Amino acid sequence: MSGFWLTEEQEAIREGVAKVCAAFDDEYWRRTDETGNFPEDFVAAIAEGGWLGVAMPESVGGAGLGLTEAAVMMQTVAQSGAGFSGASAIHLNIFGPMPLVKFGTDEQRERLLPRIISGEDKMCFAVTEPNSGLDTSSLETRAEKVDGGYRLNGRKIWTTGAQRANKILIIARTTPKDQCAKPTQGLSLFYTDREKIEAKPIPKMGRKAVECNMLFIEDLFVPAGDLVGEEGKGFQYLLHGLNPERVLFAAEAIGLGRAALAKATTYAKERVVFGRPIGQNQGVAHPLAKSWAELEAANLLAFKAAALYDAGKDCGAEANAAKYLGAEAGFHACEASVLAHGGMGYAKEYDVERYFREAMIARIAPISREMILNFIAERVLGLPKSY
């Protein structure tokens, strides 16, 4: 962004992505939500336009742009009405491969990244486990060294898109925790084939079209060449992707909130009760106006965080706070939109109930609100660590 507005190039990205999204109307996203069918046509259209490589290096066919441009793209997708059903279908492609970009070998980058950008390879990312949650240092999935590579055993949970993925980026413990100087050491990152991993979908509240899974990994052989970077440094590699992911989640949640607010505003202008449009009543108008203010404030912080990241500056506090504020503003806008529609807000044909269900995602993932507040209390305010 240049100051407080998009540059010409960024505006062109917004318009280009919006044009692709325009071909996928409310009925399309309603249908994916009902059937649970993955939005293959949408992802194919995004890939065809070259958008999956927006933040990937030009040397491997990407656009070589920054987090700011990626955030513009992902916010546009969500704001189009696709919500998280659309954003989550491509979210992982945008910054998920960054460990390969930053820490992979030249051979890995040249061989693997073009296939991700084109959509030929579909990846999922497996970090969270049933018994560790946000405590990544306590992961139980283990990778034991064997001739020619590693043998992986364990479980992962909430792995998005595993049903269609043929590749997986997975973190596992290569050195027992009690043998490491720090609990975050001894974890290694692998990018390997997914087909031999059992993936069981988890029925959930919203975003049915983009499934989450429980993974069961039993004696999976991973060739040594599938190790990303150095053995034992996987946790440090993950940290490089945390701030960008928080910014993207913030931008997407804000886009979803804007979509909901637009629906509610239109309805409030058109719906006449007691001889006047309901938007003339302050009880309807004020929550919508408040939502606009909250969304705009969160948006400023999200793009400040993106600008700091692109400039190579520390953005931990801003990225975390943006994710917190973006998720809250998006949720409140979706709630206000449902309420502004009254009984029709509960009807699927008006879409806002879907937005409302999807708005919960950014409040929970990829990190809880409470852990963000812990981070700010400790790292920004200097208060004692609470956990």
Side-chain angles (χ1 to χ4, degrees):
M1 296 179 76
S2 177
F4 297 100
W5 49 87
L6 300 181
T7 64
E8 287 187 14
E9 181 183 33
Q10 292 161 353
E11 185 63 34
I13 290 172
R14 189 195 65 78
E15 292 176 359
V17 174
K19 186 176 181 180
V20 175
C21 293
F24 302 89
D25 59 12
D26 290 336
E27 178 55 35
Y28 178 86
W29 296 110
R30 228 173 278 148
R31 191 163 59 249
T32 63
D33 186 61
E34 286 284 344
T35 63
N37 292 335
F38 189 86
E40 295 284 0
D41 295 345
F42 169 74
V43 174
I46 289 288
E48 186 178 347
W51 297 111
L52 293 182
V54 65
M56 295 294 104
E58 291 182 272
S59 60
V60 294
L65 300 175
L67 178 57
T68 300
E69 288 75 24
V72 169
M73 170 187 167
M74 296 307 294
Q75 185 173 83
T76 302
V77 169
Q79 192 169 337
S80 74
F84 277 101
S85 292
S88 296
I90 59 174
H91 174 99
L92 186 59
N93 291 80
I94 307 305
F95 264 83
M98 279 301 164
L100 283 172
V101 174
K102 291 181 177 292
F103 306 107
T105 64
D106 289 341
E107 188 277 333
Q108 285 176 325
R109 282 192 287 267
E110 292 168 8
R111 175 169 54 91
L112 300 172
L113 292 177
R115 293 174 61 90
I116 296 174
I117 293 170
S118 68
E120 187 175 356
D121 276 347
K122 301 169 180 63
M123 66 175 286
C124 59
F125 199 175
V127 178
T128 309
E129 294 184 4
N131 295 330
S132 61
L134 292 171
D135 184 8
T136 306
S137 65
S138 296
L139 295 179
E140 297 172 353
T141 297
R142 64 189 186 279
E144 298 177 4
K145 220 163 191 179
V146 296
D147 288 344
Y150 300 82
R151 188 77 62 187
L152 267 65
N153 285 277
R155 294 184 300 165
K156 297 290 183 179
I157 196 170
W158 296 115
T159 303
T160 299
Q163 294 297 318
R164 65 190 294 274
N166 66 312
K167 290 288 186 177
I168 185 169
L169 188 62
I170 185 170
I171 190 167
R173 184 162 286 285
T174 43
T175 304
K177 190 175 177 180
D178 58 9
Q179 295 179 23
C180 298
K182 296 181 179 179
T184 54
Q185 295 176 350
L187 294 165
S188 299
L189 201 59
F190 303 90
Y191 183 77
T192 193
D193 294 335
R194 191 217 71 81
E195 284 91 342
K196 294 182 180 179
I197 298 175
E198 181 185 355
K200 183 178 180 181
I202 301 169
K204 59 190 191 302
M205 176 178 170
R207 205 193 64 183
K208 186 178 180 181
V210 184
E211 93 292 338
C212 292
N213 299 269
M214 173 76 85
L215 303 186
F216 301 90
I217 307 156
E218 185 174 351
D219 291 334
L220 176 70
F221 176 73
V222 176
D226 290 352
L227 175 70
V228 178
E230 295 182 41
E231 183 180 301
K233 293 189 175 181
F235 185 83
Q236 292 92 314
Y237 299 161
L238 285 184
L239 292 179
H240 284 267
L242 295 184
N243 289 331
E245 185 174 38
R246 282 151 174 63
V247 172
L248 291 182
F249 259 91
E252 292 161 12
I254 292 162
L256 178 67
R258 286 175 169 172
L261 183 58
K263 291 273 189 181
T265 301
T266 298
Y267 189 79
K269 292 175 182 177
E270 296 175 351
R271 174 63 169 163
V272 175
V273 179
F274 297 118
R276 56 196 275 162
I278 60 172
Q280 193 171 343
N281 301 313
Q282 292 178 347
V284 174
H286 284 183
L288 301 181
K290 181 182 179 184
S291 290
W292 181 88
E294 291 175 346
L295 290 167
E296 291 302 306
N299 198 56
L300 287 174
L301 188 54
F303 279 95
K304 177 183 178 182
L308 288 170
Y309 179 87
D310 288 338
K313 298 180 182 297
D314 181 36
C315 67
E318 290 81 2
N320 276 279
K323 189 271 181 185
Y324 175 87
L325 294 174
E328 294 300 290
F331 174 80
H332 292 149
C334 291
E335 179 186 41
S337 183
V338 170
L339 295 174
H341 281 77
M344 299 315 295
Y346 213 66
K348 289 185 181 294
E349 66 176 293
Y350 282 82
D351 299 298
V352 292
E353 61 82 31
R354 171 170 57 87
Y355 298 166
F356 181 70
R357 286 183 283 115
E358 292 187 355
M360 286 299 297
I361 296 171
R363 300 180 97 197
I364 299 169
I367 187 172
S368 68
R369 299 176 299 165
E370 291 73 21
M371 287 300 288
I372 285 178
L373 295 178
N374 282 338
F375 176 89
I376 294 172
E378 178 190 348
R379 302 294 181 87
V380 179
L381 303 181
L383 297 175
K385 189 172 181 177
S386 62
Y387 59 97

